[in-house]
Amino acid sequence: MSSTVKNNLYQQLFFSNRLYMGLGANILLFIISFFVPGLFNVAILIFVVLLVLLVLDMILLVLRPANIFQAVRTASPRFSNGDENDVVVACTNRYPFPVSATLVEELPFQFQDRNFAMKAKLGAGEAYEFRYKLRPVERGVYHFGYTYIFVQSALGIVNRRFVFNTEQDVQVYPSFQQLRHFSLYSYMNRLNEIGVHKRRVIGHSMEFDHIKPYTKGDDVRMLNWKATARSGNLMVNNYVEEKSQQVYCVIDKGRTMKMPFDGLTLLDYAINASLVFSNVALGKGDRAGLVTYNEGAVEVLPASNKKVQLNKILELLYSQETQWKESDLEALSVQLRSHLSQRSLLILFTNFESMSSLQRQLPYLRRLAKYHLVLVVFFENTELKRITEQEAVDVEAIYKQTIAQKFAYDKKLIVKELAKYGIMSLLSTPEHLTLNVVNKYLELKARTLI
């Protein structure tokens, strides 16, 4: 609950533009009356009327108890990074007449919004809710300050300011709204509507489930001849996906992940995708883990399929920050060699902008691929793609297009270079990263590569 901050009359009282405009017109009328004496009495009359209205408005608005107008802000203690989050300010007008209210909020400095204001009209004794949405683009603690309500009567001469102590700290976590979105569609069996494709299993795993009658479309190689002979009908072996496989999201926190896109850094896109992917992997019965690395340290959360694992991953992702130095992939390969004794799927979120940057890291990627199934996820530069699709109208535009096409071509060469050494890769735009990673994982499961 918020409390009203008590102020003296001087701090509560603000004159409206309507009063200043009326006084300005009155002064102009006094000036004209020097040349037209008959207007002097009219100017005096207007001045007296303004004074009467001012006093009356002050009596109506200001000379009332401090709790005659109430406001309470309601915001979740956790915001979802990169998503729209709802904030509600509930107001109650206890004046015996209608008022106009203007809401001014002390928003966290991270939003850089200094002109935030909302207006509404409230009837006598009416309750009203101001609703607005905020989209944070970085993780961390956000501090909300006081709530200010400026109230006007129908006269519109005076504004009374009410100040409410609604200070609140909100923690911005990785996109749990996206996580809920995927979970809801998965529960409703409608994942295909948001772009997750079901994959038909090619071949089979070695985990036997049961024997069932043959139906059209079943793999004839799975026929169980002994069961067929006993029953007199064609019977096939049914297998299920192997579970309890180790899958790790490996996140690069180096300077290459500092690049922004639509307000979020590439690191935040990787973090949001890792959270959703971990939930999908846990739902498939696999053990999900997390690895983060930068220039000086490698942090490992061991893979597990316990119920608390997703919360552990969420808390670890919340505290990650990019560094300005290049990450040490050699140290990562050494650390994972000692920490991971079982062959695992490593989904490595990083970024390569040129072949030279790949060549520096390729020996360490090959070392990781020797012991694990590695999927390198890096990002398509959508700004360069936009430049290449524009029509060139002058020499400068042609030059920019040529450079952009060269960088785009390098991305395709990187995919081919990784494939040459048996390392899988996924080139994705930031906004489609989560969908592409989940689909790739389901494809690997269908191909029984993990």
Side-chain angles (χ1 to χ4, degrees), residues 8 108 137 145 175 222 226 257 272 366 368 412 426 435:
N8 56 41
V137 293
S175 181
M222 299 301 107
K226 290 183 179 180
M257 300 294 281
N272 291 343
R366 293 178 63 185
L368 283 173
K412 296 178 182 178
L426 175 62
L435 280 175

Side-chain angles (χ1 to χ4, degrees), residues 76 110 145 192 205 294 357 370 390 427:
S76 172
Q110 289 93 336
N192 61 310
S205 69
N294 55 25
S357 62
K370 183 178 179 181
Q390 289 179 344
L427 179 60

Side-chain angles (χ1 to χ4, degrees), residues 260-279:
F261 177 81
D262 196 21
L264 293 176
T265 63
L266 296 184
L267 175 66
D268 282 310
Y269 280 103
I271 285 174
N272 291 343
S274 297
L275 181 63
V276 175
F277 166 78
S278 298
N279 185 53

Side-chain angles (χ1 to χ4, degrees), residues 297-309:
V298 177
E299 192 172 4
V300 180
L301 176 65
S304 172
N305 55 9
K306 295 181 179 178
K307 292 183 179 179
V308 297
Q309 183 69 359

Side-chain angles (χ1 to χ4, degrees), residues 83-186:
D83 299 314
E84 299 286 351
N85 298 269
D86 294 319
V87 181
V88 178
V89 179
C91 302
T92 304
N93 172 32
R94 295 178 180 173
Y95 281 103
F97 51 83
V99 298
S100 297
T102 302
L103 168 70
V104 177
E105 284 270 58
E106 286 186 350
L107 298 179
F109 71 89
Q110 289 93 336
F111 293 109
Q112 292 296 303
D113 189 352
R114 297 294 180 265
N115 298 313
F116 179 88
M118 300 181 70
K119 296 183 178 182
K121 291 185 178 181
L122 284 73
E126 181 185 354
Y128 180 82
E129 290 185 346
F130 289 96
R131 294 180 175 271
Y132 60 94
K133 296 179 181 292
L134 295 175
R135 180 179 180 265
V137 293
E138 58 182 276
R139 287 161 288 110
V141 178
Y142 286 53
H143 178 74
F144 284 85
Y146 284 10
T147 296
Y148 300 87
I149 303 288
F150 293 85
V151 175
Q152 264 187 1
S153 69
L155 296 177
I157 303 297
V158 175
N159 287 327
R160 182 177 181 181
R161 185 184 70 177
F162 292 89
V163 184
F164 302 95
N165 185 1
T166 55
E167 288 187 295
Q168 178 184 4
D169 285 337
V170 171
Q171 293 178 303
V172 177
Y173 274 77
S175 181
F176 53 81
Q177 285 190 18
Q178 193 178 67
L179 176 64
R180 292 171 183 170
H181 189 60
F182 268 76
S183 299
L184 177 62
Y185 273 81
S186 177

